[in-house]
Structure formats: structure tokens, C-alpha cells
Amino acid sequence: MPDMAPDSELLDSSANFRPADPKCATAAPASEELEENPWGYAKRFRFVRDAITTEYKGRPPGSVRVLDVGCGNGSLIAIPLARCSFDVTGVDLHRPSIEHAKRLAFAMPNARFLEATVTDLVASPFDVVILSEVLEHVSDPETLLLDSLRHLKPQGIVVVTVPNGYGEFEIDWWIFRTFRLQKAIDLVGRLRRGSLPRSTSVSPEDMPATDNLDCGHLQFFRLGRLRKLFERCALAIAKESAGSFLSGAIVCYTLARYRSFIEWNVRIADRLPLAFVSSWYFVLRRVNR
């Protein structure tokens, strides 16, 4: 495995870097696997991992440098990739998320997390740049994508995952918020006095990818808009795939209590037109590399 550069060498002098407290560190076992859920987290990770493995087949994983832009707490993409021995750097502006990520990855020398913007990085180019569930949270997704591309090797790949801005996920959440259904859910929970085991119920707060729960969606993408965005950034789609079919709050509090539904939910998405699923995954390459 290659030597790791100190975190301070990956940032310019204006970046705010603060190490995590080792006493708070808890490292997950290398064999730990993501459990599938209504949002297709395990499916999404497999898509990212398989895209990297396929692109760099024959190279030792430790030689493949991955940049995860907007990494959150690293629990769903960056840290699982590091467990696969890839050399991973995650950047995010949210300090609590980055501190959480550092605690989770404390025993992993091939994973580093920086409280910074992507423009703060001064590291050498990466083989892979990931923007997973990020573009919908920023006011200017095109600028963020272009800034991220500056850290990509000429022959590297970009992996983008994004929710369908007009799919079931967004519609479900709009209904849930508009009719204040959380109050009804809380009331039912109190009446049942916790009779449902926790493992049989999935709520929208389970397995958060970030500790920044106040960062809502600013962009609502259609496929056509995304494809135009990629074209303006001189990116061509090498592969595209579906996430899950149904994944909003109402579904999570009802159907997602059943493991059979969760497994069906990610399978059926692959048989549907992309416009009907809740999220999309893309592998992108530079045009005229």
C-alpha cells in the first residue's frame, strides 16, 4: 500500500483542518457489509465499487486513489471503499460529519477526511471522483462538478448518484410533510408502546450518510437536465443504472418493515424505465480524453 500524505499536505493554507480525538475512535470490522434498505444503499455502494474495480482491473486497490466530494460521515461510500483497500480521501464542509468520519476510520490508514471545499485541495489528481447524493444539495451543481473535475486524472472516471427530482421519493416526502404525517406516526408509536421490534421498522432517519440533517434538496433533476449538465462539463455517460423504486418517508414507515419488500424494491427498479425510479447512478468519462 502506498505511503499516505499527511492531511495538511492535501489542503491549501486557508482550509480548516482539525484532527479527530483518538479516544473517541471506533473502527468497524473490515468484513462488515452494508445492509440493504429502501434507499438502495447497498446497491449504490456495489455500483460504485464495481465501477472502480472494473475500470482498474489488474491494479492493486491500494494504488487507486479515490476522491469522495461531499462525503458526509463516510459511512456509506468512503469507508466501505477503504475497507476494500482503495486509497480514499473524503471532503465535506460539515465539521460534525467529518469528525464522525474520522472516528469511524481511525484505524484505517488508507482513509482520510478533510473539513474543506473541493477547491481547497492541492493533492495530486485522483483516479476516481465521486459525487454521491451531493449535486441536489448545492445551489450551483455545475460549478461543483467542474471544480471536482480539476482533481481527476485525464483517463479517470467520475461516479455520480442523484435522486430523481420528480420520482416517488420526492412525491412521497412532499405528501409526508404537507399533511404532517410525522405526528400520526409518533402517535401510533406511542399507542403501540414499542410493540414492534426496532429491526422490523425502517424510518427515514436510519443510516444517515451525514450528520448535517438540515441540508435539504435545492435541485430537482430530470434525466434530461442531468444529461445536459454532464454535456456542458464535457462528460459522457459510460454507464447508467437505477437505484430503488419506492423510497419516501411513507414507504419507509410502512412497506419497508418487510425484508421481502426491500429486496423486491431494488430488483424491480432495474426493470423499469429510469424516469420511474427514485434515484440514478452514473459512470462518466471525459469527452476527448
Side-chain angles (χ1 to χ4, degrees), residues 5-12 65 67 89 91 112 114 118-126 150-152:
D7 289 345
S8 58
E9 294 179 11
L10 297 174
L11 301 174
D12 69 20
R65 301 184 67 241
L67 173 63
T89 297
V91 296
R112 63 198 62 78
L114 312 171
V118 69
T119 55
D120 291 325
L121 283 175
V122 293
S124 56
F126 292 82
R150 294 190 178 98
H151 298 283
L152 182 69

Side-chain angles (χ1 to χ4, degrees), residues 1-7 9-10 62-65 87-89 109-112 124:
M1 188 172 296
D3 292 337
M4 304 300 171
D7 289 345
E9 294 179 11
L10 297 174
S63 72
V64 180
R65 301 184 67 241
D87 177 21
V88 182
T89 297
N110 59 321
R112 63 198 62 78
S124 56

Side-chain angles (χ1 to χ4, degrees), residues 11-18 92 95 98 102 114-117 120:
L11 301 174
D12 69 20
S13 58
S14 65
N16 183 5
F17 167 69
R18 186 163 63 139
D92 200 290
R95 176 171 293 183
I98 288 297
K102 289 176 179 177
L114 312 171
E115 181 194 339
T117 67
D120 291 325

Side-chain angles (χ1 to χ4, degrees), residues 1-2 4 45 49 52-67 78 80-89 110-112 126-128 153:
M1 188 172 296
M4 304 300 171
F45 170 70
R49 179 200 61 196
I52 299 172
T53 301
T54 299
E55 183 69 19
Y56 297 104
K57 183 166 43 179
R59 276 180 57 175
S63 72
V64 180
R65 301 184 67 241
V66 179
L67 173 63
L81 285 176
R83 291 194 192 109
C84 296
S85 299
F86 296 110
D87 177 21
V88 182
T89 297
N110 59 321
R112 63 198 62 78
F126 292 82
D127 299 290
V128 182
K153 291 181 180 179

Side-chain angles (χ1 to χ4, degrees), residues 17 19 32 47 49 51 58 61 64 88 110 114 120 147 150 165 175 207 209-210 212 226 230-231 235 240 245 252 265:
F17 167 69
E32 182 178 320
F47 179 89
R49 179 200 61 196
V64 180
V88 182
N110 59 321
L114 312 171
D120 291 325
D147 287 342
R150 294 190 178 98
I175 295 171
M207 292 182 67
T210 177
N212 186 4
L226 274 174
F230 298 152
E231 184 178 352
L235 292 170
E240 59 186 11
F245 173 37
C252 291
N265 193 39

Side-chain angles (χ1 to χ4, degrees), residues 92-108:
D92 200 290
L93 282 171
H94 189 243
R95 176 171 293 183
S97 293
I98 288 297
E99 291 179 343
H100 188 181
K102 289 176 179 177
R103 291 193 297 271
L104 293 173
F106 177 69
M108 306 176 73

Side-chain angles (χ1 to χ4, degrees), residues 42-245:
K43 183 181 183 181
R44 183 177 66 194
F45 170 70
R46 289 194 301 270
F47 179 89
V48 175
R49 179 200 61 196
D50 293 350
I52 299 172
T53 301
T54 299
E55 183 69 19
Y56 297 104
K57 183 166 43 179
R59 276 180 57 175
S63 72
V64 180
R65 301 184 67 241
V66 179
L67 173 63
D68 187 1
V69 178
C71 64
N73 58 35
S75 60
L76 300 180
I77 296 291
I79 291 174
L81 285 176
R83 291 194 192 109
C84 296
S85 299
F86 296 110
D87 177 21
V88 182
T89 297
V91 296
D92 200 290
L93 282 171
H94 189 243
R95 176 171 293 183
S97 293
I98 288 297
E99 291 179 343
H100 188 181
K102 289 176 179 177
R103 291 193 297 271
L104 293 173
F106 177 69
M108 306 176 73
N110 59 321
R112 63 198 62 78
F113 294 93
L114 312 171
E115 181 194 339
T117 67
V118 69
T119 55
D120 291 325
L121 283 175
V122 293
S124 56
F126 292 82
D127 299 290
V128 182
V129 170
I130 298 170
L131 296 100
S132 180
E133 313 303 303
V134 174
L135 294 179
E136 69 274 16
H137 292 283
V138 298
S139 58
D140 190 348
E142 184 171 342
T143 295
L144 177 60
L145 185 51
L146 288 171
D147 287 342
S148 301
L149 286 172
R150 294 190 178 98
H151 298 283
L152 182 69
K153 291 181 180 179
Q155 303 297 321
I157 60 171
V158 183
V159 181
V160 171
T161 77
V162 65
N164 178 353
Y166 296 86
E168 188 277 338
F169 173 84
E170 298 289 2
I171 295 170
D172 186 316
W173 267 106
W174 181 85
I175 295 171
F176 189 81
R177 289 189 296 262
T178 299
F179 293 97
R180 300 180 181 180
L181 296 182
Q182 185 64 60
K183 293 183 178 180
I185 294 292
D186 293 341
L187 176 60
V188 170
R190 288 195 296 270
L191 292 175
R192 295 180 69 92
R193 298 181 181 275
S195 60
L196 271 179
R198 186 71 180 89
S199 60
T200 66
S201 180
V202 178
S203 77
E205 291 76 29
D206 286 343
M207 292 182 67
T210 177
D211 296 314
N212 186 4
L213 301 181
D214 297 321
C215 183
H217 291 183
L218 302 179
Q219 308 293 331
F220 298 89
F221 291 104
R222 295 185 189 273
L223 279 172
R225 182 186 170 198
L226 274 174
R227 287 167 176 158
K228 289 178 181 178
L229 170 63
F230 298 152
E231 184 178 352
R232 289 195 302 272
C233 294
L235 292 170
I237 298 174
K239 183 178 181 181
E240 59 186 11
S241 187
S244 61
F245 173 37

